[in-house]
């Protein structure tokens, strides 16, 4: 289902693990990896070498992609390389769309402690803006990289964004013959303390059940034979992390509602927290505008 995979690559610590994970996906899909280094033009990188003006970051980029290319040579993965100049996040998004790429694999420096995450990072912006599905992989010691994915988690709240994302993630899971875990969380914190809470709670649980059943039905339509239903109560992001850890989940997939023309995502959103903190790769699929 993927023919061309974009891997923005900067050669930083942990990036090699992301490169290897992307290569496993490429092997499985018989896909080509497009290694991209973006020389950040928002930084002052222009210098003069032996009388000639040289962009030091462009030269650095050439060196970085050469190292990545050598690794992919040893892994026998088809690839291309490119070094471009620009503002990294929008450049990555525009590149993926211009060349009709199927998937963006993004390393992210998200930390276990959510407060340690760099708000406004390149990965966060790409997740928010990209119309192409994005697979984020945290470059942290607790990250669990297993492929093929045998257990895939799809959190859903029944929204249009979640439904759109589920269609893509279900297709991936079906291609991998993976077990699909479908989770909907009843956020008890959203319920008031008065007598209406009991009614609201029942309505919320009913809505969660409906959301799960819709995704399970979608999965069965795609030929997925193993599905597991999860209806849980609590703070959604925390419940998602608990579900990942307690069910040996190898990857999660969910929707985002980011829009172009804005420099902010809803801070504290469930998708954002999951990308920051999940110890497994997270596929995010943006709802069409």
């Amino acid at each position: 289902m993927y023919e061309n995979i974009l891997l923005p690559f900067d050669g930083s610590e942990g990036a090699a693990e992301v490169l290897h994970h992307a290569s496993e996906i490429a092997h499985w899909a018989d896909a080509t990896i497009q290694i991209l280094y973006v020389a950040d033009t928002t930084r002052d990188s222009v210098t003069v070498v032996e009388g000639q003006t040289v962009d030091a970051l462009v030269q650095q980029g050439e060196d970085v992609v050469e190292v990545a290319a050598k690794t992919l040579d040893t892994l026998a993965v088809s690839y291309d390389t490119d070094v471009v100049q620009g503002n990294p996040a929008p450049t990555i998004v525009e590149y993926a769309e211009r060349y009709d790429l199927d998937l963006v694999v993004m390393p992210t420096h998200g930390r276990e402690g959510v407060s340690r995450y760099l708000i406004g990072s390149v990965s966060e912006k790409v997740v928010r803006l990209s119309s192409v599905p994005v697979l984020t992989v945290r470059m942290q010691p607790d990250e669990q990289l297993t492929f093929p994915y045998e257990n895939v988690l799809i959190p859903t709240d029944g929204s249009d964004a979640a439904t759109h994302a589920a269609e893509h993630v279900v297709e991936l899971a079906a291609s991998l013959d993976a077990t699909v875990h479908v989770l909907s969380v009843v956020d008890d914190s959203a319920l008031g303390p008065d007598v209406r809470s009991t009614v609201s709670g029942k309505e919320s649980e009913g809505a969660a059940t409906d959301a799960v059943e819709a995704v399970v039905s979608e999965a069965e339509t795609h030929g997925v034979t193993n599905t597991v239903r999860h209806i849980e109560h609590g703070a959604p992001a925390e419940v998602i992390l608990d579900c990942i850890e307690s069910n040996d989940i190898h990857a999660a997939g969910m929707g985002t509602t980011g829009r172009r023309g804005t420099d902010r995502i809803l801070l504290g959103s469930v998708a954002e927290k999951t990308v920051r903190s999940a110890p497994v790769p997270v596929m995010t699929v943006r709802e069409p505008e």
Side-chain angles (χ1 to χ4, degrees), residues 63-139:
D63 295 339
V64 167
V65 299
E66 182 179 354
V67 171
K70 289 180 179 178
T71 299
L72 293 181
D73 278 331
T74 64
L75 297 173
V77 175
S78 175
Y79 68 87
D80 291 308
T81 65
D82 203 357
V83 177
V84 300
Q85 297 185 358
N87 187 339
T91 299
I92 290 167
V93 170
E94 291 164 8
Y95 194 98
E97 295 173 350
R98 181 187 314 130
Y99 294 106
D100 198 25
L101 303 179
D102 304 306
L103 176 69
V104 181
V105 179
M106 284 291 296
T108 177
H109 295 273
R111 299 292 192 265
E112 279 190 50
V114 171
S115 63
R116 296 287 297 166
Y117 187 73
L118 177 63
I119 301 299
S121 73
V122 173
S123 295
E124 178 199 341
K125 291 178 181 177
V126 172
V127 163
R128 171 166 32 87
L129 297 175
S130 177
S131 63
V132 177
V134 180
L135 183 72
T136 49
V137 182
R138 289 191 321 144
M139 295 190 295

Side-chain angles (χ1 to χ4, degrees), residues 154-159 162-163 181-188 191 199-217 228-234 236 239:
I154 304 178
T156 179
D157 59 3
S159 65
T163 300
H181 293 252
V182 187
L183 167 68
S184 193
V185 182
V186 179
D187 187 355
D188 295 324
L191 301 178
V199 175
S200 298
K202 290 180 179 178
E203 291 176 349
S204 297
E205 187 151 337
T209 301
D210 291 344
V212 166
E213 291 303 326
V215 176
V216 168
S217 178
V228 182
R229 297 164 172 82
H230 302 271
I231 307 292
E232 304 290 349
H233 290 250
V239 173

Side-chain angles (χ1 to χ4, degrees), residues 114 117 119-120 124-125 127-129 157 159 161 187 236-237 254-276 286-287:
V114 171
Y117 187 73
I119 301 299
E124 178 199 341
K125 291 178 181 177
V127 163
R128 171 166 32 87
L129 297 175
D157 59 3
S159 65
D187 187 355
M254 59 199 309
T256 65
T257 55
R259 292 290 186 268
R260 292 183 185 278
T262 177
D263 286 331
R264 64 189 299 269
I265 193 170
L266 177 62
L267 298 183
S269 73
V270 176
E272 183 188 14
K273 289 181 179 179
T274 303
V275 167
R276 292 173 183 175
R286 199 188 77 189
E287 181 186 6

Side-chain angles (χ1 to χ4, degrees), residues 31-42:
T32 296
I33 292 180
Q34 177 66 57
I35 304 170
L36 177 67
Y37 182 95
V38 181
D40 188 352
T41 53
T42 64

Side-chain angles (χ1 to χ4, degrees), residues 9-10 37-47 54-65 83-86 88:
F9 190 80
D10 62 5
Y37 182 95
V38 181
D40 188 352
T41 53
T42 64
R43 296 170 57 186
D44 184 12
S45 63
V46 176
T47 186
V54 177
D55 190 317
L57 284 181
V58 169
Q59 183 58 57
Q60 177 183 330
E62 298 288 355
D63 295 339
V64 167
V65 299
V83 177
V84 300
Q85 297 185 358

